[in-house]
Amino acid sequence: MRIGVISDLHANLPALETVLRGFRERGVDGIVCCGDLIGIGPFPEETVRRVMSLPNLLGCVRGNHEEYLLSGIPAEGMDGEEVQLHRWAHSALFPESRSFLASLPRERTLETEGRRLALVHYPPEGERGYRPIAPGKIPEYFAGLPADAAFYGHDHAPAASFGETWLLNPGSVGCPGREQAVARAGIFSWGKENAWEQLAFRYDPSPCVEKLRKLGLPAAETVLKIFYGV
């Protein structure tokens, strides 16, 4: 079986469509998503709807950006421009999409073909929070997890650790950071031997750029510079 793994879509529909096309070309059997479907990008409703429409979606969990929608935007750590961007994204979601995001658990375990797979946005801490981003501590964060493989995201950087439990981060679909116009994902497969394939796809970010500029939100220029290289 071959599972396509995605995380941190961040309302970037063009990047998501590019990854899904890559999955089809590589014959994945199912898809799992590690959260942050919304936030930052300009297509929150369209991105959530696309994930909802996937006929082979095996599992999806919420990330911190879904928590902002469901439990409130944090009072600290965000400037006014960021808050405005989040409020706009939340207002763009239809009731069905909100219900879908509200239904997502923070953690999920899948059992398929004799494999136990854990799905989380990032190792949790408390009811809403996550442990500090520290790539070197990931094996410690997941220590004792009763799973053959764990998929996670949150820090946007692809990573893989192949211990007793494989710890696999596909990187961000929608927020490439310094690597402009690159959508990241991964494929986990097993048979006689397990395998992990890290993927990176070039995509056209111009629809995101045009939509963000059209919205005219104060944070748009910062987002364009950091995530889309404009």
Side-chain angles (χ1 to χ4, degrees):
M1 187 170 186
R2 291 164 60 80
I3 294 181
V5 185
I6 54 177
S7 186
D8 298 273
L9 286 54
H10 286 298
N12 187 333
L13 185 65
L16 175 60
E17 293 290 4
T18 298
V19 168
L20 294 177
R21 183 165 57 250
F23 282 168
R24 289 193 296 271
E25 292 170 352
R26 288 161 176 79
V28 304
D29 301 294
I31 296 172
V32 296
C33 178
C34 298
D36 274 4
L37 286 71
I38 61 174
I40 300 175
F43 296 105
E45 171 63 20
E46 297 88 341
T47 300
V48 175
R49 286 280 180 166
R50 189 68 179 93
V51 172
M52 291 170 62
S53 75
L54 293 173
N56 58 346
L57 183 66
L58 301 177
C60 184
V61 294
R62 70 176 64 172
N64 53 292
H65 282 264
E66 283 76 53
E67 292 286 2
Y68 301 159
L69 168 70
L70 302 170
S71 302
I73 299 170
E76 298 180 357
M78 288 191 191
D79 62 29
E81 291 186 359
E82 289 180 279
V83 171
Q84 281 186 289
L85 184 59
H86 286 303
R87 286 176 176 166
W88 170 80
H90 298 170
S91 72
L93 293 168
F94 290 4
E96 294 85 354
S97 296
R98 285 174 170 265
S99 295
F100 173 76
L101 296 178
S103 74
L104 299 178
R106 292 191 67 204
E107 304 173 63
R108 183 167 181 186
T109 300
L110 306 173
E111 294 191 20
T112 178
E113 296 189 2
R115 296 296 194 279
R116 186 176 175 89
L117 310 176
L119 190 61
V120 65
H121 185 58
Y122 202 71
E125 186 171 67
E127 294 184 1
R128 290 182 55 191
Y130 300 93
R131 297 190 181 188
I133 291 179
K137 286 185 171 290
I138 287 298
E140 174 187 328
Y141 286 171
F142 281 105
L145 185 70
D148 296 288
F151 308 120
Y152 68 99
H154 190 46
D155 66 356
H156 298 181
S161 175
F162 303 103
E164 183 176 350
T165 298
W166 285 21
L167 308 176
L168 306 170
N169 181 346
S172 175
V173 169
C175 285
R178 294 179 181 177
E179 294 182 300
Q180 307 299 341
V182 174
R184 295 196 173 275
I187 296 176
F188 174 75
S189 58
W190 66 84
K192 292 183 179 180
E193 294 184 358
N194 295 343
W196 172 249
E197 182 182 3
Q198 179 66 55
L199 304 173
F201 301 98
R202 301 291 303 183
Y203 74 96
D204 178 12
S206 60
C208 291
V209 174
E210 293 169 6
K211 180 71 177 292
L212 280 165
R213 284 181 166 159
K214 184 176 181 180
L215 289 172
L217 294 167
E221 290 305 317
T222 300
V223 171
L224 287 170
K225 180 179 179 180
I226 295 176
F227 296 110
Y228 300 103
V230 178

